[in-house]
Amino acid sequence: MKNAKLSLVLILLVSMVGISNCSNLSVDANEKTVAQTNKAKQFLKQNCLACHSETARESERLAPPFFAIRKHYLKDFPEKGDFEAAMLAFLQEPKEANAKMKGAIDKFGLMPKMTFPEKDLKLAIAYLYENDQAKPEHAGKGSKSQQEGQVDEAAILKKGESIALQTKKVLGKNLMAAIAEGGSAYAVDFCNLKAINLTDSMGEKLNARVKRVSDKNRNSNNAASLEELTFINKFKDRLAQKETPSGELIKMADGYRVFYPIITNQMCLQCHGEKGSEIANETLEKIQAKYPADLAFGYKMNELRGIWVVDFQAD
Ligand code: HEC
Ligand code: HEC
């Protein structure tokens, strides 16, 4: 009798241990999925959203938002395996024959080729298949008005940021086209001859003065002033705290000045990354010939490369 009771207790105990082991297993599986989801999100944020931003306004976009890409791919490839294979083929070799969105190529130019580990790409693609992406907000709606007085400042900051982002868009689009046409060594000529001109003429078009400066500048004309260095350090601090820095506004005697962070992505490293590995020798030779005092290398992804400085009037 006593023995029977004991063995019942034992059986219960063993099965409880069994059950708790089982549930531990599924917790592990859940944690793994969460970790993978976070990794995919982080990867997309660091490598893709600079161009595929969901929140950028229409006029500031460099590429279609992921919500539109996902919809397009799902229509052509409802099966997970087909969806993943088609997208991977494009990302490993972005060319017109692999592209499903010909309209996007006409509008934005072909996506430049970047090299990523295949396993990261697969994780990101699986995430895109499984998760509905945020639809971009409607352009130009503006935030609901807050307190009087405050509203103005927010609107003025937005205007300055928008000038910076539109200039970034034009520069980015032309840079992508140059890389697609002749690779990064060829595109150095584009940056060398066109970057400052394009920035100036965008400023003219938008009725503002626009420049790009850096604490580690390539072109000596782009060296940051003391005031600019203060904002550069401020943005760096925020990045170090894992915040995404946004623009800063100051009032000038005759208008406003907005500072806006310029953050590196994978594409930048072929000209601003490690010499010899990320920057190909042919590209490096071109850079050194044109910029003997170059400081703008050794960057990693998601670092502060410099800032936009925009001087403008409120209206
Ligand atoms: C430097 C800007 C830029 C970056 C960074 C970028 N893309 Fe793109 N991407 C584009 C442009 C421009 C297009 C639209 C033209 C085209 O289809 O090539 C595009 C198109 C696409 C398409 C649709 C292709 C088609 O037509 O079938 C996919 C999918 C895509 N990108 C995924 C990604 C992923 C994933 C990343 C990050 C690993 C990424 N992109 C990073 C610029 C970029
Ligand atoms: C094809 C090579 C190339 C690529 C890719 C490239 N840059 Fe540059 N970058 C240059 C050159 C060359 C200059 C100097 C331009 C000039 O003379 O005005 C420069 C200048 C700059 C400047 C101005 C400050 C300075 O150092 O003179 C910033 C900011 C900058 N690049 C950011 C970026 C970012 C961010 C990316 C990625 C989105 C990027 N660059 C990608 C070649 C490149």
Side-chain angles (χ1 to χ4, degrees):
M1 206 48 199
K2 212 178 172 190
N3 267 352
K5 255 193 188 162
L6 195 69
S7 49
L8 193 66
V9 169
L10 268 178
I11 288 167
L12 272 175
L13 266 178
V14 166
S15 56
M16 271 166 74
V17 169
I19 288 165
S20 71
N21 262 346
C22 263
S23 57
N24 266 350
L25 263 182
S26 67
V27 166
D28 280 356
N30 264 341
E31 269 171 9
K32 204 172 160 210
T33 328
V34 171
Q36 285 192 330
T37 305
N38 285 341
K39 207 172 161 215
K41 275 194 198 160
Q42 183 72 9
F43 175 82
L44 290 167
K45 189 171 159 204
Q46 284 187 343
N47 299 296
C48 319
L49 290 185
C51 295
H52 288 283
S53 165
E54 333 246 67
T55 49
R57 270 170 275 177
E58 184 92 42
S59 63
E60 289 151 4
R61 267 187 218 141
L62 288 167
F66 279 130
F67 124 84
I69 294 181
R70 177 175 191 266
K71 204 168 119 192
H72 205 105
Y73 269 72
L74 275 180
K75 194 166 73 73
D76 289 357
F77 309 104
E79 296 294 327
K80 190 168 185 225
D82 301 339
F83 180 104
E84 292 180 341
M87 200 175 277
L88 187 65
F90 174 80
L91 291 176
Q92 289 183 326
E93 202 59 64
K95 54 182 185 192
E96 204 154 344
N98 287 338
K100 308 294 167 247
M101 301 173 70
K102 314 284 182 204
I105 300 181
D106 293 340
K107 188 165 169 197
F108 299 106
L110 188 67
M111 176 166 140
K113 184 175 164 137
M114 291 166 276
T115 313
F116 300 105
E118 188 172 309
K119 71 171 191 343
D120 290 349
L121 282 179
K122 284 187 164 160
L123 208 60
I125 295 171
Y127 173 81
L128 287 177
Y129 179 82
E130 269 150 22
N131 296 278
D132 215 352
Q133 301 301 304
K135 253 191 204 174
E137 278 179 30
H138 258 297
K141 257 193 182 162
S143 57
K144 291 213 181 80
S145 59
Q146 305 137 355
Q147 293 165 311
E148 285 298 319
Q150 293 252 291
V151 174
D152 273 347
E153 210 163 86
I156 294 167
L157 174 61
K158 258 219 159 104
K159 179 175 174 188
E161 289 182 336
S162 162
I163 296 171
L165 288 166
Q166 287 180 63
T167 313
K168 171 183 162 195
K169 178 179 172 176
V170 169
L171 212 55
K173 195 171 167 177
N174 282 280
L175 175 59
M176 272 196 289
I179 293 178
E181 198 178 321
S184 61
Y186 169 85
V188 169
D189 291 327
F190 160 79
C191 292
N192 174 240
L193 299 170
K194 295 276 173 60
I196 290 182
N197 277 344
L198 262 179
T199 308
D200 285 352
S201 53
M202 274 308 282
E204 241 165 72
K205 182 175 160 233
L206 299 170
N207 207 5
R209 269 210 346 260
V210 183
K211 57 180 182 167
R212 284 190 314 172
V213 299
S214 177
D215 53 333
K216 292 203 313 171
N217 49 299
R218 177 154 287 166
N219 184 326
S220 52
N221 293 325
N222 298 332
S225 69
L226 271 180
E227 179 190 63
E228 289 155 356
L229 280 174
T230 317
F231 284 91
I232 286 177
N233 288 330
K234 203 164 173 178
F235 290 142
K236 280 187 178 171
D237 283 348
R238 287 201 206 142
L239 265 184
Q241 314 279 319
K242 307 263 180 243
E243 287 172 41
T244 310
S246 54
E248 290 272 351
L249 173 75
I250 59 174
K251 174 96 184 73
M252 307 291 286
D254 56 346
Y256 293 90
R257 177 169 292 168
V258 160
F259 303 90
Y260 194 84
I262 302 176
I263 302 195
T264 49
N265 62 39
Q266 176 75 24
M267 184 188 63
C268 318
L269 306 189
Q270 52 189 289
C271 296
H272 295 296
E274 290 302 331
K275 292 179 178 177
S277 52
E278 285 159 329
I279 309 182
N281 287 335
E282 191 196 350
T283 310
L284 187 60
E285 276 166 27
K286 279 219 159 166
I287 293 173
Q288 284 172 337
K290 291 181 201 298
Y291 307 95
D294 178 29
L295 300 171
F297 53 85
Y299 284 88
K300 298 189 175 50
M301 241 164 26
N302 217 21
E303 288 186 345
L304 192 81
R305 180 58 268 274
I307 53 174
W308 291 104
V309 184
V310 183
D311 284 344
F312 62 109
Q313 307 290 324
D315 33 47

